[in-house]
Amino acid sequence: MQSLTLESATERNAGRLARLVPRLHVKAFTGGTIVAIFVLVGILGPLLAPHDPNKQQLTAMMKPPQGVGAVHALGTDNLGRDILSRVIHGSRVSLLVAFAVVFVSGFIGITLGAVSGYFGGKVDFTIQKLVEVVWAFPPLLLGITIMAFLGQGLFNLILALVSQRWIPYCRVVRGQTLSLRERDFILAARCLGAGKRQIIWRHIIPNLIQTSLVIGTFAMASSIIAEASLSFLGVGVPPEIPTWGTMLADARIYISTAWWLPLFPGLCIFVTVLGINLLGDALRDLLDPRLKRTASGI
Amino acid sequence: MNRRHRQTLVVSLAALIMFVGTRVETNAQTRVSVGVTETIETHNPYGDSVSLLYGIWSEVTGPFCTYSYGKGDFEGRLAERWKVENPTTWIFSLSKNYKFNDGSPVTAEDVVHSIMTRVIKDPQSKQKASVAPSIVNAEAVDKFTVRVITDKPTAPLLSFLCDRLIVTSKAAFDKYGRAAADKEHMMGGGPYRLKELIPGQRLVIAKRPDHPAAKKNPRAPDEVVYRVMRETEQRVTALLNDEVQIAQFIPPHLRQRVEKSRNLKITPVDSVEIMFLAMQPKPPFDKKEVRQAVCHAINRDQIIATLLEGFASRLDGPLGPGQYGYDANLKPKLNYDPERAKKLLAQAGFPGGVDVELQTPVGRYTLDKQLTEAMIPMLNAAGFRARLLTPEWATLWASVQKGTIPFYYMGRGSVQDPSAALHQYFHTGETPRIGYSNPKLDELLDKEQQEFDPKKRRQYLSQAMSILTDDAPACFMWRHKLLWGLNNRVEYQPLPDARIYAIDMKVRR
């Protein structure tokens, strides 16, 4: 009876997995393709853009989309700048900011989280108090405050976004480190004479990469939105750098008279964030230990 | 009940309903909401110096005197009459009809207190330069007569005082102290009283029906709400939804949206606000050639024709037609000439170009960010390496007032007579906004201010403006033709200086 129950449970899990795997593939494929396209567009931006994104033609301002093959396929904005070129260049900045924020905040968050969890005691207390203090600020308000002090600029914007985005890494990593440090392989490493730094870098952090990867994908999506929000509010990058956020900000006073101005940058933000979220979702499902157990039939 | 009784009852009921209905309609309060662009940041009426606030506070505390665009001259209000006793002494006779909210009369003591204690001596005052730059003393001759003494003859004194001097109660100040008097016990002698002020959001004033000015115009709204709406779409949408009945500064591209509505209209007004690019004489703008190069680099005509759709007039000097002292033959004219700009930059020692950062407010003036964005490639084409910065208005304005921004786009409102504006921005030591100093210009500006003969005064002004245009501490850009969106229920002729006087509105009930 017991073996029958186990068997039927395994069958159920296998069935669930069978249903899940194609869904995962669809999500991963769709998300990955979208992200890959935008990354490619970002890298090849100057080659793909038909015009200089900042070139103004006041005599050709507010031209509606003219279709594929036309001089201004997606139309022009209030200063006669080509929207397609600006959208392409905007992807570079948005993705550059997103990647930079993910890497820098990941580095800070993972390091602090691992140190906090491994050492415990006063170190843990201090780091966690810092986390609580920084976490208490509303993210957008903190970003605006930092930008108001430092001024507009790409580097400052990345700094403003990193200021809070390292916290999710730190908290999750700390929790996992607390569990990992008690595991046998860490004890073995310690017995073999490995130093604390070596244990953290060689044995703990590699075990946290999978989780951090999932956090990173969601952090990337939220960074793109945060960059657009700060640029929309006029405290992001300087106006001469085209980003999707600044394009939206510029478009807001023409929203009722020129629909194409907010549509294309808005669409880009939507699709990119959707793609990254799909990819992150698929990654999370794939790296979920419960699903791993199901897949191995345990 | 027979038929005759029923008829009597029906007629009586109908009469009663009509009577009650009429009473309700008669007693209905009228309220006008105005979507404005300028912020209202402080309860202290002397704590800021922006055009809109002078109008609003004047309405609460009673305009001292006012400039009538219809008559082309100053008119009495609280100060009924005035005379120049000698070139440095003015006598103002006050109306006895102006009373504070508590019923006490507005007296000479209150005027003296407002000028000396609140405008001149109070360190929190931001109005000394624009209201009382040359006043050294004010004293009460009797209960309703004030003597104002200036350190030098000041011919345009009225242009400093009218629509600008805010008269508050001395008794309230003495009794409650500055902060509480302003915040909780604002006593004014104007046709409206302050009902509510939420800094940065809205200001509400309520009519005082017993005020002489209110009696003259019984159709003036009972309550006026000034709502800060920086976004143009927000103002237009609020106007279309009847959330506001007056919207300031509709950008040209949105005017058709307003005009399509049967209940709304657009009223254009030639503004007396001069828009300019200010350049502090610090590197690289310490060189006259660099400043002139900026002026030659910008194609004002193209910007007016395209972005502003013709709703502005180009300025070749500080003033345009209709403003006192305007000289159509003013020379030199720094016209659009990018090649000349390049040569001037090379002469100044920057043949390979020079880095400059232009700062602009966003949403404070009509299409401010868009207009300055259009200037950047023009400056770059002339050899500059220009960047545009768009700080928050509060940050920008505070820095401008401290004199820490070298290159910025700004407007100066209420320039019917240019004396106050020219002194404020270009006279040595008046304000640090530009930090410009030119002894020859100072001499001419002092002379024009001391000259009571209009013909000679115009000559001095013309010479001063010629120096300004040539030395170019600022490039004068344009005056906007301001578009106001009005609900048809409100009859109101907006003023060229963008002050809003609710007492001049007429509301259809």
Side-chain angles (χ1 to χ4, degrees), chain A residues 54 56-59 61-62 78-79 81 86 148 152-153 233-235 237-240 246 249-257, chain B residues 231-233 251 253-254 257 302-303 306-307 309 362 367 369-371 373-378 386-392 395:
Chain A
N54 284 326
Q56 299 179 7
Q57 272 184 289
L58 293 181
T59 47
M61 50 190 255
M62 306 288 254
N78 57 308
L79 293 169
R81 296 172 296 197
R86 289 179 71 73
Q152 292 169 306
L233 292 170
V235 290
V237 293
E240 75 267 14
T246 51
D250 290 343
R252 69 181 186 265
I253 68 164
Y254 300 98
I255 205 160
S256 60
T257 48
Chain B
E231 296 291 333
T232 48
E233 278 286 347
H253 70 274
L254 288 177
R257 210 174 143 212
Q302 191 184 37
I303 290 177
T306 52
L307 280 165
E309 297 182 29
V362 181
L367 294 179
K369 184 179 172 231
Q370 290 73 16
L371 298 175
E373 264 190 304
M375 292 177 200
I376 296 297
M378 292 176 183
R387 286 181 70 217
L388 184 67
L389 297 181
T390 54
E392 269 289 294
T395 314

Side-chain angles (χ1 to χ4, degrees), chain B residues 385-402:
Chain B
R385 289 187 297 272
R387 286 181 70 217
L388 184 67
L389 297 181
T390 54
E392 269 289 294
W393 168 251
T395 314
L396 176 70
W397 183 230
S399 306
V400 166
Q401 287 182 310
K402 282 184 212 155

Side-chain angles (χ1 to χ4, degrees), chain B residues 360-437:
Chain B
T360 180
V362 181
R364 169 70 183 77
Y365 304 107
T366 302
L367 294 179
D368 40 19
K369 184 179 172 231
Q370 290 73 16
L371 298 175
T372 42
E373 264 190 304
M375 292 177 200
I376 296 297
M378 292 176 183
L379 287 168
N380 291 341
F384 290 93
R385 289 187 297 272
R387 286 181 70 217
L388 184 67
L389 297 181
T390 54
E392 269 289 294
W393 168 251
T395 314
L396 176 70
W397 183 230
S399 306
V400 166
Q401 287 182 310
K402 282 184 212 155
T404 55
I405 298 192
F407 187 27
Y408 57 91
Y409 178 66
M410 191 57 59
R412 172 55 161 87
S414 306
V415 187
Q416 302 95 358
D417 181 314
S419 190
L422 296 181
H423 276 257
Q424 190 178 34
Y425 276 90
F426 305 110
H427 192 286
T428 305
E430 289 276 352
T431 65
R433 292 184 187 183
I434 293 185
Y436 174 71
S437 178

Side-chain angles (χ1 to χ4, degrees), chain A residues 213-269:
Chain A
L213 210 61
V214 176
I215 300 172
T217 53
F218 292 112
M220 189 178 278
S222 78
S223 300
I224 288 175
I225 291 176
E227 179 275 316
S229 307
L230 288 175
S231 297
F232 182 83
L233 292 170
V235 290
V237 293
E240 75 267 14
I241 301 177
T243 72
W244 297 333
T246 51
M247 287 179 76
L248 276 179
D250 290 343
R252 69 181 186 265
I253 68 164
Y254 300 98
I255 205 160
S256 60
T257 48
W259 54 267
W260 59 95
L261 263 64
L263 178 74
F264 297 112
L267 212 56
C268 286
I269 293 173

Side-chain angles (χ1 to χ4, degrees), chain B residues 39 76 85 121 145 150 163 195 239 269 385 393 413 427 430 456 488:
Chain B
T39 51
E85 200 170 65
K121 291 178 184 166
T145 310
T150 56
D163 300 305
K195 190 175 175 186
L239 188 68
V269 180
R385 289 187 297 272
W393 168 251
H427 192 286
E430 289 276 352
K456 281 186 185 167
N488 289 332

